[in-house]
Amino acid sequence: MTNNRYVLNWIDEMAALTKPDKIVWIDGSEEQAEALRAEAVASGELVKLNPELYPNCYLHRTAVNDVARVEDRTFICTTKKEDAGNINNWMAPAECYEKLGKLFRGSMVGRTMYVIPYSMGVPESEFAKIGIELTDSIYVVLNMLIMTRAGQHILDILGDSPDFIKGLHARADIDEKNRYICHFPEDNTIWSVNSGYGGNVLLGKKCFALRIASYLGRKEGWMAEHMLILGVEFPNGEIKYVSAAFPSACGKTNLAMLIPPEIFRKKGYKVWCVGDDIAWLRIGKDGRLWAVNPENGFFGVAPGTNEHSNPNALAATKKDTIFTNVALNTDNNTVWWEGLDDNPPKHCIDWKGNVWDYTKYDKKDKTTCAAHPNSRFTAPAVNCPCVSSEFNSTTGVPISAIVFGGRRAKTAPLVYQSFNWQHGTFVGSIMASETTAAAAGAVGVVRRDPMAMRPFVGYNMGDYFAHWLAMGKRIPNPPKIFHVNWFRTDSEGHFIWPGFGDNMRVLLWILDRVEGKVDAKETAIGYVPNLDDINIEGLNLTKETLANLLDVDKEAWKQDIANIKEFYALIGDRVPAELYQELEALEARLDK
Ligand code: OXD
Ligand code: MN
């Protein structure tokens, strides 16, 4: 425990509000975690899986109304509305404390309040930041023990300092009409109520490591980004690191754990995963940008994860993992999800807890799914066969390239390089994804998602762009910035690029560019590869098809411009003038 009066006073205050029957401090020991697992199994909160096939693995089902992050119920509570900006929902702090205070009041009567001291980042590292989460959910405790570094040692490191993020979570009634995920960046505080779903309640993740951290990063001169971090190892043993931002459902975890195609593996190329979701970046003493993954585990989407798409992620889930909302195979007490294999279990309980009839399963109809489409695994990073040896490094890894990406059927080529940091910031600011025929709803609807941070920036998006520009001026040796699009389609709507492991071919071009090893073609949008510089050996893809993948369709881009202008206008008057200059320059180049 601790004598830290800031911690103790705050816990007293929160306990007086929520009125738990008892308070339990999470010490990080295996004995305590095991006792909590047993308690959760006894109460039905967790199902223990087959200990031979899935040692120390558990299944949890959330309420059916509580299966995803809730952007419309997520608020940034700054004193001034304009500091939260137009893209975020805003509530005045006093109003929000009052409103949520009513929901928290007495919410833990008859329950236990768990105190979880945790660090985002290796605690000994300069990057690290401490948080304490108070929660009435054992599921949250056990997930936080996987996703963060948690326990008594964090309190010891905190000592008497008031410098920690205060997180309060109560399940309350899981009432979706009163569900709130609220951030008070000026008070280092997060309040989350009426949810039990990971993204809303594991407060170290999106709430702290992105929303609060992005605010702190701006104040303190560093960056918190929705980025994976990977290392490409060359046959000579040298490793170059890349960070990449993609909107949800664009294969971030798959890219982070990529297995190179055989022709590259044979030559000795490897890919190492440092992180699959969040990067904290700081300028190093050597003038480069260095990154750490502040998390300690993966909270990955299960459906679609299989031996082909991501064997590394699958391997990571084979022990010490908590599954959420996947299906339970009752023949052998294991888990299943759509896309794991083509053998749906004959005897199965679906994610809602009902008996599931595999004969009624229709791949095209999501309502017949056994696992929820957003079902998850929470797995320790150390379980991943390709986890980087730098995963626990206190200094992080030096980033050579930043990659932005989206899901665009026509507009964006397979890959292009920005002209410089300012232009690269512009490229990130106009990131977008389109809905495809595979998803329900209208096809081709563009959602702008700057740097994949639209749901995660803890302040005004215009100020966030300005922070990117300001960082660029301060980094003596900045990474080069690229954009990729794995999702270009042909006239029949089929994906042209094979993706997955073959994305290695694009990563290698990117790193060749960083090293100045290859020239490129200057186009209106940036530098595009010369045809011979992307290795397509062993691929069933002609040079002509590659040319199509790399083609810049000026008309499609001109149509995009109007949409970008509308989006900038929506963000409002804090969009930096430099980005409007980049937009004008792009328009002029397209008209040439
Ligand atoms: C996530 C997300 O859960 O981005 O990582 O939605
Ligand atoms: Mn994410």
Side-chain angles (χ1 to χ4, degrees):
M1 278 181 45
T2 180
N3 292 322
N4 182 318
R5 63 191 171 86
Y6 302 102
V7 173
L8 296 176
N9 291 347
W10 168 64
I11 294 178
D12 280 351
E13 208 187 311
M14 295 304 104
L17 175 66
T18 55
K19 302 214 171 6
D21 280 14
K22 58 176 181 165
I23 298 179
V24 170
W25 292 71
I26 298 304
D27 59 19
S29 69
E30 182 48 31
E31 297 73 42
Q32 188 185 47
E34 189 50 33
L36 289 171
R37 288 181 205 116
E39 189 179 331
V41 169
S43 71
E45 193 176 341
L46 292 181
V47 174
K48 190 171 169 63
L49 298 176
N50 185 325
E52 259 107 63
L53 299 172
Y54 283 90
N56 197 25
C57 290
Y58 295 82
L59 165 66
H60 171 78
R61 298 188 193 99
T62 64
V64 290
N65 75 9
D66 189 25
V67 292
R69 287 188 291 102
V70 278
E71 285 174 26
D72 58 326
R73 317 238 23 124
T74 299
F75 289 79
I76 302 295
C77 306
T78 44
T79 309
K80 291 195 207 129
K81 183 174 190 311
E82 53 278 23
D83 289 340
N86 298 334
I87 300 292
N88 284 312
N89 300 315
W90 173 83
M91 223 190 294
E95 181 194 341
C96 189
Y97 282 129
E98 198 190 319
K99 192 181 189 113
L100 269 63
K102 290 190 185 127
L103 301 172
F104 277 113
R105 190 159 302 140
S107 61
M108 296 192 193
V109 171
R111 303 180 64 88
T112 300
M113 174 190 272
Y114 299 97
V115 180
I116 317 170
Y118 67 95
S119 169
M120 297 313 291
V122 177
E124 296 75 25
S125 150
E126 259 183 58
F127 284 81
K129 297 242 171 231
I130 289 177
I132 299 182
E133 175 163 358
L134 309 179
T135 177
D136 59 354
S137 157
I138 295 182
Y139 168 78
V140 168
V141 172
L142 296 174
N143 274 272
M144 287 290 283
L145 285 171
I146 297 174
M147 294 303 295
T148 72
R149 282 104 175 158
Q152 177 63 42
H153 63 301
I154 305 302
L155 289 174
D156 299 341
I157 292 171
L158 182 65
D160 293 333
S161 166
D163 191 10
F164 64 98
I165 304 299
K166 303 187 270 283
L168 176 65
H169 163 247
R171 290 163 45 84
D173 305 314
I174 313 286
D175 171 4
E176 55 196 318
K177 293 199 204 71
N178 278 312
R179 184 167 297 152
Y180 288 97
I181 321 299
C182 296
H183 307 72
F184 306 86
E186 294 157 0
D187 301 344
N188 283 339
T189 295
I190 305 158
W191 277 14
S192 163
V193 67
N194 274 309
S195 173
Y197 167 77
N200 301 327
V201 299
L202 308 180
L203 301 185
K205 191 173 177 64
K206 303 296 189 182
C207 299
F208 176 175
L210 286 176
R211 298 195 190 97
I212 297 287
S214 61
Y215 179 93
L216 292 176
R218 175 171 174 243
K219 215 164 75 176
E220 299 168 1
W222 53 282
M223 303 163 93
E225 299 296 332
H226 191 197
M227 289 179 178
L228 64 88
I229 309 165
L230 62 79
V232 174
E233 181 174 336
F234 289 80
N236 66 3
E238 204 186 350
I239 304 181
K240 296 268 175 225
Y241 294 92
V242 173
S243 64
F246 296 85
S248 303
C250 287
K252 218 150 100 239
T253 304
N254 292 346
L255 183 63
M257 299 178 191
L258 175 151
I259 295 184
E262 203 184 340
I263 55 154
F264 295 99
R265 283 204 311 275
K266 273 194 186 148
K267 288 184 195 149
Y269 286 95
K270 294 185 188 113
V271 170
W272 300 106
C273 174
V274 182
D276 78 327
D277 197 36
I278 298 176
W280 284 2
L281 304 117
R282 283 180 183 266
I283 303 170
K285 291 192 187 69
D286 63 356
R288 291 185 290 175
L289 193 60
W290 290 68
V292 299
N293 168 12
E295 302 190 279
N296 203 23
F298 307 118
F299 183 63
V301 175
T305 306
N306 59 46
E307 272 305 336
H308 166 74
S309 66
N310 196 337
N312 284 315
L314 201 60
T317 67
K318 293 292 176 189
K319 59 177 184 186
D320 309 322
T321 293
I322 300 174
F323 295 92
T324 304
N325 291 341
V326 300
L328 179 68
N329 180 342
T330 49
D331 281 334
N332 58 3
N333 213 22
T334 60
V335 285
W336 189 81
W337 50 78
E338 282 68 20
L340 175 62
D341 55 39
D342 282 330
N343 304 310
K346 306 270 177 304
H347 301 106
C348 175
I349 307 283
D350 69 12
W351 68 273
K352 293 181 185 160
N354 299 324
V355 172
W356 182 71
D357 182 353
Y358 75 100
T359 61
K360 303 228 170 81
Y361 169 46
D362 172 2
K363 273 190 179 170
K364 288 186 220 89
D365 179 0
K366 291 254 187 266
T367 63
T368 67
C369 283
H372 188 275
N374 189 35
S375 54
R376 299 278 176 150
F377 54 80
T378 314
V382 291
N383 280 6
C384 180
C386 65
V387 70
S388 163
S389 58
E390 298 303 304
F391 179 74
N392 282 317
S393 154
T394 51
T395 53
V397 294
I399 298 296
S400 298
I402 290 177
V403 178
F404 294 124
R407 186 184 270 272
R408 303 302 303 264
K410 300 275 171 254
T411 324
L414 178 62
V415 57
Y416 67 99
Q417 180 186 356
S418 64
F419 297 121
N420 50 47
W421 183 277
Q422 175 171 306
H423 178 237
T425 301
F426 169 73
V427 169
S429 80
I430 64 167
M431 253 174 74
S433 266
E434 280 153 25
T435 49
T436 66
V443 175
V445 177
V446 177
R447 173 180 149 103
R448 298 267 155 214
D449 189 352
M451 286 82 169
M453 282 289 277
R454 185 174 181 151
F456 306 119
V457 177
Y459 58 102
N460 187 310
M461 184 67 84
D463 292 340
Y464 168 76
F465 293 160
H467 180 49
W468 262 80
L469 294 173
M471 285 295 294
K473 296 205 176 89
R474 289 183 42 221
I475 311 171
N477 190 2
K480 304 269 188 291
I481 302 179
F482 297 80
H483 186 282
V484 299
N485 175 26
W486 317 133
F487 301 97
R488 222 154 150 161
T489 52
D490 62 19
S491 52
E492 277 149 31
H494 301 124
F495 294 126
I496 310 174
W497 180 248
F500 297 102
D502 288 309
N503 293 336
M504 178 75 178
R505 301 166 190 271
V506 175
L507 288 178
L508 289 177
W509 180 78
I510 287 173
L511 291 171
D512 276 349
R513 285 295 292 168
V514 168
E515 299 285 300
K517 285 190 184 149
V518 289
D519 279 338
K521 199 165 81 194
E522 187 168 338
T523 72
I525 61 166
Y527 299 112
V528 170
N530 288 319
L531 273 191
D532 288 338
D533 291 334
I534 298 231
N535 183 341
I536 53 169
E537 190 190 330
L539 272 189
N540 190 10
L541 194 101
T542 62
K543 279 261 147 102
E544 198 188 348
T545 312
L546 183 62
N548 280 339
L549 278 165
L550 295 173
D551 177 54
V552 178
D553 179 343
K554 282 191 169 182
E555 287 317 305
W557 275 91
K558 283 186 195 166
Q559 280 170 28
D560 225 32
I561 298 275
N563 185 281
I564 297 169
K565 285 185 180 161
E566 264 172 45
F567 184 61
Y568 273 11
L570 176 70
I571 296 173
D573 54 11
R574 295 202 191 172
V575 174
E578 290 92 329
L579 296 190
Y580 275 108
Q581 283 155 20
E582 289 293 341
L583 183 56
E584 268 171 39
L586 171 63
E587 253 187 304
R589 289 192 301 267
L590 289 168
D591 281 337
K592 246 207 237 147

